[in-house]
Amino acid sequence: MASPTSPNNANNVDGRRRHQRTPSQAEVSEFKALTKLDALVQVKKELDKLLLTAPANEVESVRTEFNGFEKLFQRYLSPDNSAEFKWQNIEPLPKEAIVTYNSTINNSLSFENIRANLNKLIVIKLNGGLGTSMGCKGPKSTITVRDDLTFLDLIIRQLENINLAYNVNVPLVLMNSFNTDEETNKVINKYNHIKVKIYTFNQSRYPRVDKDNLLPIAKTAGYDSDVESWYPPGHGDIYESFYNSGLLQMFINEGKEYVFVSNSDNLGATVDMNILNFLLNPPNNNKSPEFLMEVTDKTRADVKGGTLINYQGKLRLLEIAQVPKENVDEFKSVSKFKIFNTNNLWINLKAMQRVIEEESLHMEIIVNNKTTDKGVNVIQLETASGAAIKSFNGAIGINVPRSRFLPVKTTSDLLLIMSNLYTQKKGLLEMNPLRSFPSVPLVKLGSGFTKVNEFLKRFGSIPDCLELDHLTVSGDVTFGKSVILRGTVIIIANHGDRIDIPSGSILENKIVSGNLRILDH
């Protein structure tokens, strides 16, 4: 027998190589299609198994959610699913795509006009997030942010003030996730005496899938015993979940026409009478836009925010995750992309119903890579609510004042909200009129300030920020009472050092570094 290195064997190998051919592109595509088809079949089998483990009273709702996940997963496997835009196909926005806020101001609106408009409105707050990034447990909306009031307290105060002032009943609807639903429903019981009707519905609960085999990692549909195997699929799920809850049809039957959707942690996202009137009574007998996205001017602090673009003749939301790597710097440019999405959305209810029933609602898939506590690499398929803009007729953007974008994502944001930079009345936060310029200071607090409890311990009282432009704090730093910050202030405590800013200090255009500690004696 010839050895592996013998001439005869070598000739045989060469002969086989001569007869081998490179698979055609069609064959490669066919193989990939078969592989993806197999993945879809396997996922369906696993979902059927999981459905058998669902509690009897949840079978129908779980089946509905699984159907939604299957559609999303099938789109994810589709060859034309690429969420990345072809950069060369992005065109400038047409002039009529963005209206100015000033063009919507109508000073002649009567009490009755406003009242009639409000009777056609509902408000939805996206309330699926937890406060874990700020070191808090439970729904983020229950974190205290200003004057001993939580996000939810402020939201409800705003709406109660409107309902009492105009003798209307604008309802509040909270889209919870399975992470926040139980706790939120306990909290809202305390608002029973307030003139705001509160409704809740849950966004879907989708299974995380193993990144390697694309199969769900869950072993049972009873998610309470295995919370880590499930996830809420982003706020783009609002459309289907709101529809499935029955609330969409109920509000349409009641004569409601528009919904104002915003994040529960955006304290600037209040009901705006001018925007509402613009939608319900468009100027020059124009047709009402079915979808309106609030955008605002981009600053260097907002370079990662999604923006509106003109793409293939449609108004589209472009997120940084969809930008080719070589174009990211261009995307972040304040000169080329001058606006960004606040995620304050105004949507016609009947149009929302139509796009769902016609299955013409389309949003790009966001693939979110995660690692579980057990070390399993998983993917979450998500969508963003603003991406639905291309599915609605006459969709436009409106360039609103920066004051309508006041999110609290970190304790750096919280510092400004709690400071004298803002005043609060009846749930509304406004820039303090004593501040001489309207821009918001840029604040960067170090890791020692990340969690709310630690953040609060480091301040004897929240500093005066009326004349602050920029604050950077790094290391072990504490502030005494009645500290005033002006201009640009940088405080850096090196590793092993500690800086205590004495009570009553005035820091104006200062850099403080090294070690500074005032000892009690």
Side-chain angles (χ1 to χ4, degrees), residues 87 298 323 326-334 336-337:
W87 200 254
K298 187 192 286 189
V323 177
E326 62 271 22
N327 301 110
V328 168
D329 288 341
E330 192 177 349
F331 172 81
K332 291 180 178 180
S333 165
V334 178
K336 179 164 184 176
F337 298 102

Side-chain angles (χ1 to χ4, degrees), residues 87-106:
W87 200 254
Q88 66 273 19
N89 292 346
I90 295 176
E91 298 177 0
L93 285 171
K95 187 177 180 181
E96 65 275 11
I98 308 287
V99 298
T100 64
Y101 179 77
N102 285 342
S103 69
T104 70
I105 295 175
N106 186 339

Side-chain angles (χ1 to χ4, degrees), residues 40 43-44 47-48 51 59-75 204-207 237 240 244 359:
L40 185 60
V43 163
K44 285 184 176 181
L47 293 179
D48 287 342
L51 189 60
V59 170
E60 286 309 310
S61 62
V62 172
R63 180 183 283 117
T64 299
E65 289 176 339
F66 283 4
N67 287 342
F69 175 76
E70 277 186 33
K71 290 178 183 176
L72 195 62
F73 188 74
Q74 188 169 12
R75 280 185 51 216
S204 300
R205 175 174 59 92
Y206 283 178
D237 185 59
E240 294 280 355
N244 291 336
E359 298 188 356

Side-chain angles (χ1 to χ4, degrees), residues 150-362:
T150 65
F151 288 106
L152 208 48
D153 292 336
L154 292 167
I155 290 165
I156 290 171
R157 279 196 176 195
Q158 293 164 16
L159 279 180
E160 182 187 36
N161 183 47
I162 288 172
N163 287 342
L164 291 172
Y166 294 96
N167 191 25
V168 292
N169 193 356
V170 178
L172 172 65
V173 185
L174 300 173
M175 183 174 85
N176 300 330
S177 67
F178 64 88
N179 291 316
T180 63
D181 184 58
E182 184 177 353
E183 190 66 30
T184 298
N185 279 298
K186 287 179 184 176
V187 169
I188 61 178
N189 286 328
K190 74 175 184 178
Y191 303 116
N192 288 337
H193 64 288
I194 289 175
K195 193 185 176 182
V196 180
K197 279 190 177 180
I198 303 174
Y199 301 84
T200 66
F201 69 97
N202 271 18
Q203 65 187 117
S204 300
R205 175 174 59 92
Y206 283 178
R208 286 172 156 179
V209 298
D210 190 306
K211 192 173 182 179
D212 294 328
N213 60 25
L214 295 183
L215 293 177
I217 63 172
K219 303 302 179 188
T220 172
Y223 65 90
D224 287 342
S225 60
D226 189 16
V227 174
E228 203 179 31
S229 295
W230 305 89
Y231 73 98
H235 44 65
D237 185 59
I238 183 175
Y239 305 99
E240 294 280 355
S241 291
F242 187 44
Y243 179 91
N244 291 336
S245 72
L247 290 173
L248 174 56
Q249 185 63 62
M250 184 192 82
F251 287 124
I252 290 174
N253 293 345
E254 290 179 2
K256 306 294 186 184
E257 293 186 25
Y258 273 88
V259 56
F260 173 46
V261 180
S262 60
N263 297 337
S264 63
D265 65 1
N266 180 4
L267 295 174
T270 60
V271 172
D272 187 281
M273 307 304 177
N274 290 308
I275 296 176
L276 179 60
N277 185 66
F278 172 80
L279 290 167
L280 291 169
N281 305 289
N284 305 319
N285 294 316
N286 291 332
K287 197 170 182 181
S288 299
E290 293 183 344
F291 190 108
L292 183 146
M293 175 187 288
E294 292 187 35
V295 297
T296 195
D297 292 340
K298 187 192 286 189
T299 69
R300 283 178 295 174
D302 315 305
V303 292
K304 293 183 179 180
T307 190
L308 283 180
I309 59 169
N310 182 20
Y311 193 81
Q312 296 176 340
K314 286 270 191 178
L315 201 58
R316 301 277 289 271
L317 176 64
L318 175 65
E319 300 278 9
I320 192 168
Q322 298 163 313
V323 177
K325 288 182 181 179
E326 62 271 22
N327 301 110
V328 168
D329 288 341
E330 192 177 349
F331 172 81
K332 291 180 178 180
S333 165
V334 178
S335 58
K336 179 164 184 176
F337 298 102
K338 299 181 180 182
I339 55 168
F340 73 97
N341 170 30
T342 66
N343 214 38
N344 299 346
L345 310 173
W346 301 74
I347 308 164
N348 182 283
L349 293 174
K350 287 184 178 178
M352 186 189 294
Q353 184 182 54
R354 185 193 74 239
V355 297
I356 292 169
E357 293 181 348
E358 291 180 354
E359 298 188 356
S360 59
L361 181 67
H362 186 275

Side-chain angles (χ1 to χ4, degrees), residues 466-485:
L466 265 183
E467 298 179 51
L468 179 67
D469 297 325
H470 179 117
L471 173 66
T472 293
V473 181
S474 177
D476 188 2
V477 179
T478 63
F479 293 78
K481 295 181 179 179
S482 304
V483 172
I484 298 174
L485 304 174

